[in-house]
Amino acid sequence: LEESNRQFWEWLEGATAGVDEPVERLGAMFEAIGTPATSPESLGCTFQGTAAEFPDRDHPGHQVAQAHKKEVRDRFAELAGQPGLRDPGDLANQLLLLMDGAWVAARMFGPHNPATALTTAARALIETHR
């Protein structure tokens, strides 16, 4: 699970490399996440699956999964904390919910799921915080 976390960040950083403006980087992250979330191979989020398999919050697997989600939210908040956006913590929470919803949709519906609207929804949320 810790290796999956490392791979996730390596993949996401690579997918958004070259996008230096923080608000645009947030949008690019959701463009990147939309690709696997609508892939026929996607089974959803490894970390959500782990938390569901190990619901006891004291279980080491649950703790690693939760730490991953907190790190994602923190990264969103860091990027949303740039000038021009208000309430970065609230935006980060909303974006985390949106991302996790895309992963759930991938597991529930397969490749033809509501996550096809992920980038549009993320950019709309970001714009409401300008």
Side-chain angles (χ1 to χ4, degrees), residues 15-63:
T16 59
V19 182
D20 296 326
E21 201 278 316
V23 176
E24 286 305 313
R25 191 172 187 96
L26 275 173
M29 286 178 162
F30 280 86
E31 286 178 28
I33 292 165
T35 299
T38 56
S39 166
E41 293 82 30
S42 180
L43 296 175
C45 176
T46 300
F47 304 97
Q48 287 174 354
T50 299
E53 286 291 319
F54 303 103
D56 179 355
R57 287 185 178 86
D58 293 328
H59 188 281
H62 191 101
Q63 290 179 346

Side-chain angles (χ1 to χ4, degrees), residues 3-20 22 24-37 45 47 68-79 95-96 99-100 103 118-119 122:
E3 178 63 15
S4 291
N5 181 57
R6 187 194 64 72
Q7 289 173 351
F8 172 84
W9 288 111
E10 185 177 284
W11 164 77
L12 191 59
E13 291 300 319
T16 59
V19 182
D20 296 326
E24 286 305 313
R25 191 172 187 96
L26 275 173
M29 286 178 162
F30 280 86
E31 286 178 28
I33 292 165
T35 299
C45 176
F47 304 97
H68 168 80
K69 294 299 181 177
K70 286 180 178 179
E71 186 177 359
V72 170
R73 185 180 59 199
D74 290 348
R75 184 75 55 94
F76 290 164
E78 176 187 328
L79 292 170
L95 292 172
L96 180 68
M99 180 189 76
D100 278 352
W103 292 126
L118 181 62
T119 301

